[in-house]
């Protein structure tokens, strides 16, 4: 050992909290001195367990939920090994034993329900300097007779979800045992699967931990309206059936054994009767656990062994385990802090919850049951609309202690921080829960009135002050910016309305209406303008600015309108009406370079090119003395052409069968390909063929920003398709379609929109996706930012594109068909029209005089511009 | 120069027909060896300013987008997008920068460009 002073941290479990630990270790610089290895038992990297139900039934459920898309940390000093179980800790030797079962060998149902009976796998031993247990919790399955039958499930992992989904195909009815928070989540899943759903709860009400009787009763009324049958105060005696479940036999709680029972017919049973910390590893190496489970740790989350920590649901700081993600995140941060010799401690957590359960708002916060001495309750109930609200206040009515909200939890955003900050209550505290019409408005999702230190996002521990700081000092302008910058709102999402209010109120307080207008000439957004143009059928900028704007336009609105007009008509962009609107590059169908010359980029679809064509490019470059370079987009760029040379150069290229590559336009650039199944021994589809087809289909499509695509022939992804606005990856069965990727300054990985598509479906989804983007995105918004800003995000895109929720599918496809049909090469058309060619002169009155400011030198055998003499000026603003 | 220059005097250079400058567009011309950008705004007024973009040194201002900022008719540089007031040559994004302006006359439907005006 010990040629290096770097230390090694082993993390057991890559769930939500283990992942947060690794993230924090990178962000706070712990990886400067420590290597981190994370072993995760599940077959994939951590995902958003909290959002499990929300993603039910969607094609990319697993992928879309991932907290670490791609499965690797950017920091190479953190290594994640999935599909590996830590089976033993040797504290004396400071090692762990890891068994890595071969992928795909786990029996999902059994693995989840019964003990982990892992297949014989590879056993390895790993040293640690620091061991962090983040093994989470396991669903508790009460010892009910028949619980091992086919059709019995728990609800915690993606595999559980998939198994339930598979079983639901042949089932008509499902029962959830447990009416707590998780049980209702599971019930929601069963409802979404179309099962006749029952919830069986032993306690006399739903969510007994969070709700009082009246709140629980209100919730039952809501849920029953959705067709869910709620059985409270009921015990499960037995699960009936042979090999497979046929029914659930129950009797009233409080009755004797042998009392009359009834049977609920069902084929699916989901146990949601609570969770148990997974603390076996700790117990087996003689670390103390709490009486009700959980590895006992101190305020720094350290066990009695100074080298071992426990965080998340497997831990019991001070003897209490916390079944929510926010306390787990806090523990992860505390341990990173401890390892950096920081002072952080975990001293308990806010167990407040706000959820939308089966579409019903439910919130419970602070001392919801008025356990504090002398606490008073104020309640408001409206049976008709199904609203129940309760505030728990101090004896003197001066401070809020807690509360419960059912049916309308909009006040949660303002109430919960009042509890944690101790803000004084108004004189008539009941106003806080009365409907807005009957008194002072609390600003519903509020926020502005709360103190700076009030915690707005409990999942990620973000205060109001931090959000205001992000907006006022760090340039965040939208909720999406704030999310990225502070993490607020990125977990359960319940604080997003408050964050939104804070952002808007901040700008309002500066007297600024959040102006989404394009520029000083138009108060409309690009999308609004798009619609205005479509509705009125405008074809000229003059008509648009006269009717809907002011002044004569600028370099922002003119190109935007040119692009909108191009999307709605198929006229050449250099027509007299529109040429003056085009961005510099579009105006000359080439990219301007620093010395006023241009670059020429012929289209090379999919990067495939014949030797003959390569020779033509070489000849043209040689004859015009152009600097030649292979681009990052699998084609060739010829630099240094004078404006007046462009038509001659293009004449040669067009004659040889080339066409414009649109390197200049906000339009489709390239569809990158890998060589695919034709040559590659791993390829499963013809990726080059598809890339070419896609590039030819969408070439010339004007869009809010440039568009790039990629097609890979197999999962090795050599075409980097997920780094593109649309990426296609071949599967054995067809194509997976990913959207919203880009490189550039803020790289984004494309996310799965739909999987295993045949080529025809792929094209129709892509047509819809691209047209939807062209129609609704803001100016200069790449697809990733557009999706991020879209209400509903990727899910919304999927609804529109895949589910055709707006019924727009056919229309979007027809628009694309018009584009495809109307496409013509811009350079060929330009060459054929003397009026358009007229503009390609440097000096109108001296057509034969070249621009004297353009000069070249030679470097590495090719030309290079000599920087023009700069007139000394201040830096461009 | 205090004397009023006259378009009849030979220092004026004929550049092109008015019509060959697109409305809200520009062309570049060679005037006594200097590159001059000549623009026609929406109301038909013709302006001439130096063609060299002071921020990049490239001779390209004639290729910029013509429009307005407030009341000012402007061209925005195609290189880094700063706006220049066509009437005064003043850069509206950096008070310390301006380009030369030139006298313009229209005779027989043709544009003539005169001498550079003195900066006030
Ligand atoms: C030529 C090329 C670099 C090279 O020598 O390889 C290039 C050159 C330029 N890129 Fe690029 N980009 C080139 C590939 C890329 C790539 C790589 C790729 O496509 O695989 C990327 C990252 C991928 C992506 O776009 O997501 C890339 C990200 C950018 C960005 C950042 C975009 C973003 O969303 O953040 C800009 C700036 C912009 O568009 O606003 C940009 C802008 C530019 C401009 C247009 C800047 C400008 O206005 O002058 C450059 C002029 C092109 C020219 O004169 O021909 N270029 N640029 C590549 C041309 C590819 C092609 O065949 O068309
Ligand atoms: C349907 C559902 C809805 C929920 N909703 C909410 C909500 O709205 N709000 C909220 O705050 N919380 C909610 N939760 C709870 C939340 O998901 C948990 O609090 C959180 O996931 C705990 O994180 P963790 O990392 O401690 O445990 P986990 O996320 O369970 O991660 C532990 C990981 O460790 C792995 N592991 C265990 N033992 C080993 C071993 N020996 N070797 C290797 N790997 C091992 C496990 O396989 C697992 O992947 C919900 C949970 C579910 C199931
Ligand atoms: S992505 Fe797959 S098919 Fe394409 S080149 Fe790479 S390994 Fe071959
Ligand atoms: S409170 Fe859960 S994301 Fe903010």
């Amino acid at each position: 050992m010990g040629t290096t002073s770097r230390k090694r941290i082993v993390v057991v479990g890559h769930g939500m909290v283990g992942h947060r630990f690794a993230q924090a270790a990178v962000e706070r610089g712990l990886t400067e001195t420590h290597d981190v290895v994370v072993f995760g038992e599940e077959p994939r990297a951590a995902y958003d367990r909290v959002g499990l139900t929300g993603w039910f039934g969607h094609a990319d459920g697993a992928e879309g939920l991932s907290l670490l898309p791609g499965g690797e940390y950017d920091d190479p000093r953190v290594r994640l090994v999935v599909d590996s179980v830590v089976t033993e800790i040797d504290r004396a030797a400071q090692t762990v034993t890891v068994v890595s079962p071969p992928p795909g060998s786990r029996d999902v149902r059994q693995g989840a329900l019964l003990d982990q009976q892992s297949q014989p796998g590879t056993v390895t031993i790993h040293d640690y300097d620091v061991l962090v247990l983040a093994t989470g919790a396991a669903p508790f399955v009460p010892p009910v007779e028949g619980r091992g039958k086919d059709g019995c499930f728990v609800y915690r992992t993606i595999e559980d979800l998939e198994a339930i989904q598979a079983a639901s195909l042949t089932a008509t009815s499902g029962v959830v045992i447990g009416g707590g928070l998780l049980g209702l989540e599971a019930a929601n899943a069963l409802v979404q699967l179309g099962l006749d759903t029952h919830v069986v709860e032993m306690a006399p009400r739903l969510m007994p931990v969070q709700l009082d009787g009246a709140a629980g009763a209100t919730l039952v009324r809501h849920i029953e309206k959705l067709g869910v049958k709620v059985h409270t105060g009921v015990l499960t005696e037995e699960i009936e059936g042979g090999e497979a479940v046929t029914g659930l036999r129950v009797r009233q709680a409080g009755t004797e054994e042998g009392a009359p029972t009834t049977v609920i017919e069902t084929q699916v049973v989901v146990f949601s009767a609570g969770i148990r910390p997974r603390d076996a590893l700790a117990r087996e190496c003689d670390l103390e656990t709490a009486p009700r489970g959980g590895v006992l740790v101190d305020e720094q989350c350290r066990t009695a062994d100074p080298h071992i920590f426990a965080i998340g649901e497997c831990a019991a700081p001070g003897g209490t385990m916390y079944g929510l993600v926010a306390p787990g995140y806090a523990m992860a941060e505390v341990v990173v802090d401890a390892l950096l010799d920081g002072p952080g401690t975990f001293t308990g957590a806010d167990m407040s919850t706000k959820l939308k359960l089966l579409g019903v708002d439910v919130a419970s916060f602070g001392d919801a049951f008025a356990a504090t001495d002398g606490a008073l309750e104020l309640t408001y109930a409206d049976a008709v609309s199904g609203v129940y609200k309760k505030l728990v206040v101090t004896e003197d009515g001066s401070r809020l202690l807690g509360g419960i909200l059912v049916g309308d939890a909009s006040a949660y955003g303002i109430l919960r921080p009042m509890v944690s900050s101790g803000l004084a209550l108004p004189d008539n505290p009941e106003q806080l829960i009365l409907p807005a019409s009957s008194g002072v408005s609390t600003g519903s999702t509020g926020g502005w009135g709360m103190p700076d230190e009030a915690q707005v996002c409990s999942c990620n521990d973000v205060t109001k002050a931090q959000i205001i700081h992000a907006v006022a000092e760090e340039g965040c302008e939208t909720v999406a910016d704030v999310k990225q910058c502070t993490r607020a709102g990125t977990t359960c999402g319940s604080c997003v309305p408050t964050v939104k209010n804070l952002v808007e109120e901040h700008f309002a307080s500066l007297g600024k209406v959040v102006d989404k207008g394009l520029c000083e000439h138009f108060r409309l957004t690009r999308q609004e303008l798009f619609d205005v143009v479509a509705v009125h059928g405008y074809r000229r900028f003059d008509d648009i600015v006269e009717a809907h704007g002011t002044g004569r336009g600028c370099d922002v609105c003119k190109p935007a309108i040119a692009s909108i007009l191009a999307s709605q008509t198929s006229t050449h962009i250099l027509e007299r009406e529109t040429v003056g609107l085009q961005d510099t590059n579009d105006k000359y169908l080439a990219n301007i370079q620093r010395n006023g010359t241009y670059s020429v980029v012929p289209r090379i679809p999919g990067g495939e090119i014949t030797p003959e064509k390569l020779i033509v490019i070489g000849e043209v470059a040689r004859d015009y003395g152009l600097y030649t370079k292979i681009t990052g987009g699998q084609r060739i760029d010829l630099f240094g052409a004078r404006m007046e040379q462009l038509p001659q150069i293009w004449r040669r290229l067009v004659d040889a069968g080339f066409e414009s590559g649109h390197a200049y336009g906000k339009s489709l650039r390239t569809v990158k390909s890998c060589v695919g199944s034709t040559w590659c021994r791993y390829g499963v589809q013809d990726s080059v063929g598809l890339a070419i087809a896609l590039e030819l289909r969408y070439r010339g499509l004007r869009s809010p920003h440039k568009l790039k695509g990629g097609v890979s022939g197999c999962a090795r992804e050599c075409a980097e398709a997920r780094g593109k606005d649309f990426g296609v990856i071949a599967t054995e069965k067809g194509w997976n379609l990913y959207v919203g990727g880009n490189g550039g300054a803020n790289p984004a990985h494309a996310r799965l929109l739909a999987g295993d598509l045949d080529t025809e479906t792929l094209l129709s989804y892509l047509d819809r996706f691209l047209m939807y983007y062209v129609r609704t995105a803001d100016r200069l918004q790449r697809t990733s930012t557009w999706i991020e800003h879209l209400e509903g995000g990727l899910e919304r895109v999927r609804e529109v594109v895949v589910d055709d929720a707006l019924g727009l599918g056919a229309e979007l496809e027809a628009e694309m068909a018009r584009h495809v049909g109307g496409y013509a090469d811009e350079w060929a058309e330009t060459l054929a029209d003397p009026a358009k060619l007229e503009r390609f002169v440097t000096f109108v009155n001296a057509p034969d005089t070249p621009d004297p400011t353009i000069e070249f030198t030679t470097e590495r055998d090719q030309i290079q511009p000599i920087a023009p003499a700069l007139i000394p000026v201040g830096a461009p603003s | 120069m205090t004397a009023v220059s006259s378009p009849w005097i030979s220092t004026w250079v004929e550049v092109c027909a008015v019509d060959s400058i697109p409305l809200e567009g520009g062309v570049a011309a060679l005037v006594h060896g200097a590159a001059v950008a000549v623009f026609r705004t929406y109301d038909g007024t013709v302006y001439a300013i130096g063609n060299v973009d002071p921020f990049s040194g490239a001779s390209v201002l004639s290729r910029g987008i013509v429009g307005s900022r407030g009341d000012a008719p402007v061209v925005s540089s195609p290189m880094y997008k700063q706006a220049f007031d066509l009437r005064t040559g003043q850069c509206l994004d950096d008070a310390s920068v301006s380009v030369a302006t030139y006298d313009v006359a229209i005779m027989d439907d043709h544009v003539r460009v005169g001498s550079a005006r003195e900066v006030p």
Side-chain angles (χ1 to χ4, degrees), chain A residues 585 590-593 598-602 629-639 661-664 666 669-670 672 705-706 708 720 723-725 741-747 780 782 784, chain B residues 79:
Chain A
N585 287 346
N591 292 52
I592 198 166
Q593 305 298 318
Y598 286 86
S599 73
V600 170
V601 189
K629 180 181 181 299
I630 310 286
T631 72
Q634 297 190 328
R635 48 193 188 170
I636 300 171
D637 205 341
L638 312 175
F639 294 84
H662 292 102
Y664 45 82
K666 296 290 174 251
R669 294 282 164 87
T670 60
K672 186 170 178 171
H705 205 315
K706 62 187 171 198
K708 298 181 180 183
E720 300 173 309
K724 306 295 177 204
D725 296 279
N742 59 250
N746 292 305
L780 295 189
R782 289 285 294 260
S784 64
Chain B
M79 202 61 85

Side-chain angles (χ1 to χ4, degrees), chain A residues 137-466:
Chain A
F140 169 64
V141 180
V144 177
E145 196 153 330
R147 65 187 170 136
K149 294 190 195 303
D150 281 353
C152 289
F153 303 95
V154 293
Y155 190 55
R156 179 145 186 117
T157 65
I158 287 178
E159 281 67 29
D160 294 335
L161 199 108
E162 287 169 350
I164 295 173
Q165 189 170 27
S168 73
L169 296 176
T170 53
T172 53
S173 160
V175 176
V176 176
I177 299 185
L181 198 151
L182 288 181
L184 293 177
E185 282 280 338
N188 191 4
L190 297 187
V191 170
Q192 289 184 41
L193 287 170
L195 297 186
D196 192 8
T197 305
H198 300 257
V199 175
V200 174
E201 167 60 48
M202 203 161 65
R205 60 175 184 274
L206 290 180
M207 292 181 66
V209 182
Q210 291 89 2
L211 302 185
D212 59 16
T218 310
L219 184 59
V220 168
R221 278 200 295 278
H222 277 287
I223 292 178
E224 288 191 330
K225 266 193 228 147
L226 298 169
V228 177
K229 291 164 201 75
V230 180
H231 314 259
T232 49
V234 152
L235 280 177
T236 302
E237 281 232 314
E238 189 193 344
I239 293 164
E240 299 192 327
E243 196 130 294
V245 177
T246 56
L248 189 78
R249 196 144 50 76
V250 296
R251 74 177 145 88
Q252 284 307 115
T255 54
E256 295 287 309
E257 218 163 310
T261 57
T262 48
V263 174
I264 305 170
E265 269 182 39
T266 185
Q267 301 79 41
V268 170
V269 173
V270 181
F271 288 98
S272 268
I275 53 171
R276 292 286 179 271
R278 293 182 67 176
D279 54 12
L281 277 177
R283 261 186 284 118
E284 283 157 15
C285 66
D286 297 325
L287 287 171
E288 207 182 335
T289 53
R292 298 182 58 196
V295 185
L296 206 57
V297 292
D298 64 12
E299 291 192 340
Q300 286 194 312
C301 297
R302 204 185 290 261
T303 63
D305 180 332
H307 302 287
I308 305 183
F309 295 80
I311 56 179
E313 285 187 341
C314 70
T320 310
M321 75 84 69
Y322 297 83
L324 290 174
V325 72
Y329 281 174
M331 292 180 220
E333 303 276 353
V334 161
V335 173
V336 171
D337 197 61
L339 294 173
L340 289 167
D341 292 326
T345 53
F346 179 89
T347 53
D350 179 4
M351 295 299 284
S352 304
T353 25
K354 177 184 172 224
L355 302 153
K356 218 179 187 67
L357 285 168
L358 293 140
V360 186
D361 274 345
V362 180
S364 160
F365 53 96
D367 179 10
F369 293 100
T372 312
D373 263 358
L376 299 174
E377 295 189 3
L378 304 168
T379 52
Y380 164 83
D382 177 350
V384 180
S385 60
V387 173
Y388 172 83
K389 299 180 186 177
K390 177 173 90 172
L391 294 186
V392 179
V393 301
T394 50
E395 198 166 6
D396 60 358
S398 70
R399 287 196 315 110
L400 185 65
L401 295 170
I404 295 175
L405 307 166
V406 176
D408 169 16
S410 56
Y412 179 75
I414 188 161
L415 293 177
R416 192 189 48 77
M418 278 189 178
V419 175
S420 47
S421 65
L423 185 70
L425 279 172
D427 285 343
N428 305 311
E430 64 281 3
Q431 298 290 9
L432 293 171
I433 50 171
L434 291 179
S437 58
S438 66
V440 286
S441 163
T442 56
S444 64
T445 46
W448 202 235
M450 59 170 82
D452 282 353
E453 55 297 346
Q455 189 191 47
V456 173
C457 174
S458 56
C459 289
N460 298 287
D461 188 17
V462 184
T463 61
K464 172 182 164 188
Q466 285 169 302

Side-chain angles (χ1 to χ4, degrees), chain A residues 520-521 542 546 551-553 555 558-559 582-584 587-588 593-594 596 598 643 842-845 849 851 853 868 870-871 873-877, chain B residues 13-15 19 24 27-30 35 42 54-60 63-70 76 78-79 81-82 93-94 96-97:
Chain A
E520 71 169 74
H521 306 104
D542 297 350
E546 246 156 58
R552 288 305 309 167
D555 59 303
K558 281 187 165 175
Q582 304 296 349
D583 240 330
T584 307
K587 226 182 248 182
Y588 296 95
Q593 305 298 318
R594 56 188 321 129
Y598 286 86
M643 194 226 276
T842 296
F843 299 118
V844 262
N845 59 341
T849 311
D851 179 349
T853 62
L870 267 181
I871 302 167
V873 294
S877 57
Chain B
V13 173
E14 182 167 313
V15 163
D19 278 357
E24 294 202 312
V27 297
L30 207 53
Y42 185 62
F55 294 97
S56 63
S59 185
V60 294
R63 304 174 207 169
I65 289 180
V66 179
S68 65
R69 185 176 292 185
S76 73
M79 202 61 85
K81 311 279 176 181
Q82 293 89 351
D93 294 307
D94 185 337
S96 69
V97 177

Side-chain angles (χ1 to χ4, degrees), chain A residues 538-546 561 565 577 581, chain B residues 42:
Chain A
Y538 293 126
R539 291 293 170 264
R540 289 159 23 104
F541 175 81
D542 297 350
D543 301 334
I544 304 170
V545 77
E546 246 156 58
I561 287 181
L565 288 173
E577 278 78 51
L581 308 180
Chain B
Y42 185 62

